[in-house]
Every structure is written in C-alpha cells, then in structure tokens.
Coordinates of all heavy atoms in Angstrom, one line a residue:
F718 N 56.8 68.4 -57.7 CA 57.3 66.9 -57.4 C 56.3 65.8 -57.5 O 56.6 64.7 -57.6 CB 57.9 67.0 -56.0 CG 59.1 68.0 -56.0 CD1 59.1 69.1 -55.2 CD2 60.3 67.6 -56.6 CE1 60.1 70.0 -55.1 CE2 61.4 68.5 -56.5 CZ 61.3 69.7 -55.8
K719 N 55.1 66.2 -57.4 CA 53.8 65.3 -57.5 C 54.0 64.1 -56.5 O 53.8 62.9 -56.8 CB 54.0 64.5 -59.0 CG 54.0 65.6 -60.2 CD 52.8 66.4 -60.3 CE 52.6 67.0 -61.6 NZ 53.7 68.0 -61.9
N720 N 54.3 64.5 -55.3 CA 54.3 63.6 -54.2 C 54.2 64.4 -52.8 O 54.1 65.6 -52.8 CB 55.6 62.8 -54.2 CG 56.9 63.6 -54.0 OD1 57.1 64.4 -53.1 ND2 58.0 63.4 -54.9
E721 N 54.2 63.6 -51.8 CA 54.1 64.3 -50.4 C 55.3 64.0 -49.6 O 55.3 64.2 -48.4 CB 52.9 63.7 -49.7 CG 51.6 64.1 -50.3 CD 51.3 65.5 -50.3 OE1 51.6 66.2 -49.3 OE2 50.9 66.1 -51.3
N722 N 56.5 63.9 -50.2 CA 57.8 63.7 -49.5 C 58.3 65.0 -49.0 O 57.9 66.1 -49.3 CB 58.8 63.2 -50.5 CG 58.4 61.8 -51.0 OD1 57.8 61.1 -50.4 ND2 59.0 61.5 -52.1
P723 N 59.1 64.9 -47.9 CA 59.6 66.1 -47.3 C 60.3 67.1 -48.2 O 60.9 66.6 -49.2 CB 60.7 65.5 -46.2 CG 60.1 64.1 -46.0 CD 59.5 63.6 -47.2
L724 N 60.1 68.4 -47.9 CA 60.7 69.4 -48.8 C 62.0 70.1 -48.0 O 62.0 70.5 -46.9 CB 59.7 70.5 -49.0 CG 60.0 71.5 -50.1 CD1 60.3 70.9 -51.4 CD2 58.9 72.6 -50.1
V725 N 63.0 70.0 -48.8 CA 64.3 70.5 -48.2 C 64.9 71.5 -49.2 O 65.0 71.4 -50.4 CB 65.4 69.3 -48.1 CG1 66.6 69.8 -47.4 CG2 64.8 68.1 -47.3
L726 N 65.4 72.6 -48.6 CA 66.1 73.8 -49.3 C 67.5 73.9 -49.1 O 68.0 73.5 -48.0 CB 65.4 75.1 -48.9 CG 63.8 75.2 -48.7 CD1 63.5 76.6 -48.4 CD2 63.1 74.8 -50.1
E727 N 68.2 74.3 -50.1 CA 69.6 74.7 -50.0 C 69.7 76.2 -50.4 O 69.3 76.5 -51.5 CB 70.5 73.9 -50.9 CG 72.0 74.4 -50.5 CD 73.1 73.9 -51.6 OE1 72.5 73.3 -52.6 OE2 74.2 74.2 -51.4
L728 N 70.0 77.1 -49.5 CA 70.1 78.5 -49.6 C 71.5 78.9 -50.1 O 72.4 78.5 -49.6 CB 69.7 79.2 -48.4 CG 68.4 78.9 -47.7 CD1 68.2 79.7 -46.5 CD2 67.3 78.9 -48.7
G729 N 71.5 79.7 -51.2 CA 72.8 80.1 -51.8 C 73.5 78.9 -52.4 O 74.6 78.5 -52.0
C730 N 72.7 78.1 -53.2 CA 73.2 76.9 -53.7 C 74.4 76.8 -54.7 O 74.9 75.8 -55.0 CB 71.9 76.1 -54.3 SG 71.4 76.8 -55.8
G731 N 74.7 78.0 -55.1 CA 75.9 78.1 -56.0 C 75.7 77.2 -57.3 O 74.8 77.3 -58.0
K732 N 76.6 76.3 -57.5 CA 76.5 75.5 -58.8 C 75.6 74.3 -58.6 O 75.3 73.5 -59.5 CB 78.0 74.9 -59.0 CG 79.0 76.0 -59.5 CD 80.4 75.3 -59.7 CE 81.4 76.3 -60.0 NZ 81.2 76.9 -61.4
G733 N 75.0 74.2 -57.4 CA 74.1 73.2 -57.2 C 74.5 71.8 -56.8 O 73.7 70.9 -56.8
E734 N 75.7 71.7 -56.5 CA 76.3 70.4 -56.3 C 75.6 69.7 -55.1 O 75.4 68.5 -55.0 CB 77.8 70.4 -56.1 CG 78.6 71.0 -57.2 CD 79.1 72.3 -56.7 OE1 78.3 73.1 -56.2 OE2 80.3 72.7 -56.9
Y735 N 75.4 70.5 -54.0 CA 74.8 70.0 -52.9 C 73.4 69.6 -53.0 O 72.9 68.5 -52.4 CB 75.0 70.9 -51.7 CG 75.6 70.3 -50.4 CD1 77.0 70.1 -50.2 CD2 74.8 69.7 -49.5 CE1 77.5 69.5 -49.1 CE2 75.3 69.0 -48.3 CZ 76.6 69.0 -48.2 OH 77.1 68.3 -47.1
T736 N 72.6 70.4 -53.6 CA 71.3 70.1 -53.9 C 71.1 68.7 -54.7 O 70.3 67.9 -54.3 CB 70.6 71.3 -54.7 OG1 70.6 72.4 -54.0 CG2 69.1 70.9 -55.0
V737 N 72.0 68.6 -55.7 CA 71.9 67.4 -56.5 C 72.5 66.2 -55.7 O 71.9 65.1 -55.8 CB 72.8 67.6 -57.8 CG1 72.9 66.3 -58.5 CG2 72.0 68.6 -58.7
G738 N 73.5 66.5 -55.0 CA 74.1 65.4 -54.2 C 73.2 64.7 -53.0 O 73.0 63.7 -52.9
L739 N 72.3 65.8 -52.4 CA 71.4 65.3 -51.4 C 70.3 64.6 -52.1 O 69.7 63.6 -51.7 CB 70.9 66.5 -50.7 CG 71.8 67.2 -49.7 CD1 71.3 68.5 -49.1 CD2 72.0 66.3 -48.5
A740 N 69.8 65.1 -53.3 CA 68.7 64.5 -54.0 C 69.0 63.1 -54.4 O 68.2 62.1 -54.4 CB 68.3 65.4 -55.3
Q741 N 70.2 62.8 -54.8 CA 70.7 61.5 -55.1 C 70.8 60.6 -53.9 O 70.4 59.3 -53.9 CB 72.1 61.5 -55.8 CG 72.1 62.2 -57.2 CD 73.4 62.4 -57.8 OE1 74.4 62.9 -57.1 NE2 73.7 61.8 -59.0
R742 N 71.2 61.2 -52.8 CA 71.4 60.4 -51.6 C 70.1 60.1 -51.0 O 69.9 59.0 -50.4 CB 72.3 61.1 -50.6 CG 72.7 60.4 -49.4 CD 73.7 61.2 -48.5 NE 74.1 60.4 -47.4 CZ 75.1 59.6 -47.6 NH1 75.8 59.4 -48.6 NH2 75.4 58.8 -46.5
Y743 N 69.0 60.9 -51.1 CA 67.8 60.9 -50.4 C 66.7 60.9 -51.5 O 66.0 61.9 -51.6 CB 67.6 61.8 -49.3 CG 68.7 61.8 -48.2 CD1 69.6 62.7 -48.2 CD2 68.6 60.9 -47.3 CE1 70.5 62.7 -47.2 CE2 69.6 60.7 -46.3 CZ 70.6 61.7 -46.3 OH 71.6 61.7 -45.3
P744 N 66.4 59.8 -52.2 CA 65.4 59.8 -53.2 C 64.0 60.1 -52.7 O 63.0 60.4 -53.5 CB 65.6 58.5 -54.0 CG 66.2 57.7 -52.9 CD 67.1 58.5 -52.1
N745 N 63.7 59.9 -51.5 CA 62.4 60.0 -50.8 C 62.2 61.5 -50.2 O 61.3 61.5 -49.4 CB 62.2 58.9 -49.8 CG 62.1 57.6 -50.4 OD1 61.5 57.4 -51.5 ND2 62.6 56.5 -49.8
K746 N 63.0 62.3 -50.6 CA 62.9 63.8 -50.3 C 62.9 64.6 -51.4 O 63.6 64.2 -52.4 CB 64.0 64.2 -49.3 CG 63.9 63.5 -48.0 CD 65.0 64.1 -47.0 CE 65.0 63.4 -45.6 NZ 66.0 64.0 -44.6
N747 N 62.4 65.8 -51.5 CA 62.3 66.8 -52.5 C 63.4 67.8 -52.1 O 63.3 68.4 -51.0 CB 61.0 67.3 -52.8 CG 60.0 66.3 -53.0 OD1 60.2 65.3 -53.8 ND2 58.8 66.4 -52.4
F748 N 64.2 68.3 -53.0 CA 65.2 69.3 -52.9 C 65.1 70.4 -53.8 O 64.9 70.4 -55.0 CB 66.6 68.7 -52.9 CG 66.9 67.7 -51.9 CD1 66.5 66.3 -52.1 CD2 67.4 68.0 -50.7 CE1 66.8 65.4 -51.0 CE2 67.6 67.1 -49.7 CZ 67.3 65.8 -49.8
I749 N 65.2 71.7 -53.2 CA 65.2 72.9 -54.0 C 66.4 73.7 -53.7 O 66.6 74.1 -52.5 CB 63.9 73.7 -53.8 CG1 62.6 72.9 -54.1 CG2 63.9 74.9 -54.6 CD1 61.3 73.6 -53.7
G750 N 67.2 74.1 -54.8 CA 68.3 75.0 -54.5 C 67.9 76.4 -54.9 O 67.2 76.6 -55.9
I751 N 68.3 77.3 -54.1 CA 67.9 78.7 -54.3 C 69.1 79.6 -54.4 O 70.1 79.5 -53.6 CB 67.1 79.1 -53.0 CG1 65.8 78.2 -52.9 CG2 66.7 80.6 -53.2 CD1 65.0 78.6 -51.8
D752 N 69.2 80.4 -55.4 CA 70.3 81.3 -55.6 C 69.9 82.4 -56.6 O 69.0 82.1 -57.4 CB 71.5 80.6 -56.2 CG 72.9 81.3 -55.8 OD1 73.1 82.5 -56.3 OD2 73.6 80.6 -55.0
I753 N 70.5 83.6 -56.5 CA 70.1 84.6 -57.4 C 70.8 84.6 -58.7 O 70.5 85.2 -59.6 CB 70.3 86.1 -56.7 CG1 69.6 87.1 -57.5 CG2 71.7 86.2 -56.5 CD1 68.1 87.1 -57.7
K754 N 71.9 83.7 -58.7 CA 72.8 83.7 -59.9 C 72.5 82.4 -60.7 O 73.0 81.4 -60.4 CB 74.3 83.6 -59.4 CG 74.7 85.0 -58.7 CD 76.1 85.1 -58.3 CE 76.4 86.5 -57.7 NZ 77.9 86.6 -57.3
G755 N 71.6 82.6 -61.6 CA 71.2 81.5 -62.4 C 72.2 80.8 -63.3 O 72.1 79.6 -63.5
A756 N 73.2 81.5 -63.7 CA 74.2 81.1 -64.5 C 75.1 80.1 -63.7 O 75.8 79.1 -64.3 CB 75.2 82.2 -65.0
R757 N 75.0 80.2 -62.4 CA 75.8 79.2 -61.5 C 75.0 77.9 -61.4 O 75.5 76.9 -61.6 CB 76.2 79.7 -60.1 CG 77.2 80.8 -60.2 CD 77.5 81.2 -58.7 NE 78.6 82.2 -58.7 CZ 79.1 82.8 -57.6 NH1 78.6 82.4 -56.4 NH2 80.0 83.8 -57.6
F758 N 73.7 78.0 -60.9 CA 73.0 76.8 -60.7 C 72.6 76.1 -62.0 O 72.1 75.0 -61.9 CB 71.9 76.9 -59.7 CG 70.7 77.8 -60.2 CD1 69.9 77.4 -61.4 CD2 70.2 78.9 -59.5 CE1 68.9 78.1 -61.8 CE2 69.1 79.5 -59.9 CZ 68.5 79.2 -61.0
W759 N 72.8 76.7 -63.1 CA 72.6 76.1 -64.4 C 73.2 74.7 -64.5 O 72.7 73.6 -65.0 CB 73.2 76.9 -65.6 CG 73.3 76.2 -66.8 CD1 72.5 76.1 -67.9 CD2 74.6 75.5 -67.2 NE1 73.0 75.3 -68.8 CE2 74.3 75.1 -68.5 CE3 75.9 75.4 -66.7 CZ2 75.3 74.4 -69.3 CZ3 76.8 74.6 -67.4 CH2 76.5 74.1 -68.7

C-alpha cells in the first residue's frame, strides 16, 4: 500500500463487494479481502 494507514481484513470475502465498498468509503485505510476461492474475489 506504500503508506502507514490502518490495515483492515475481510475474512471469507466472497466476491469482494465488502472489501471494495469499505475501501471506497474509507480511503485512508487499507483493506485486504481473504478467501480460498479466487474465482469469486476475481
């Protein structure tokens, strides 16, 4: 992320809508979605 902003995880992120939604809502935080199903979070 090349910054020192807070790091936030979403576990079992599925299609990634929440990770992306939170990232849009909070540009001063870093978000990482985690899931074993890569075809979903694609």
Side-chain angles (χ1 to χ4, degrees):
F718 297 107
K719 309 292 194 299
N720 61 50
E721 290 301 316
N722 293 338
L724 188 64
V725 184
L726 312 182
E727 184 195 3
L728 307 184
C730 67
K732 295 175 181 289
E734 306 105 316
Y735 228 88
T736 297
V737 171
L739 287 169
Q741 289 174 311
R742 188 175 184 85
Y743 300 105
N745 294 323
K746 293 183 179 182
N747 304 316
F748 294 88
I749 302 175
I751 303 175
D752 208 296
I753 193 60
K754 296 184 178 180
R757 284 188 182 175
F758 69 59
W759 162 88

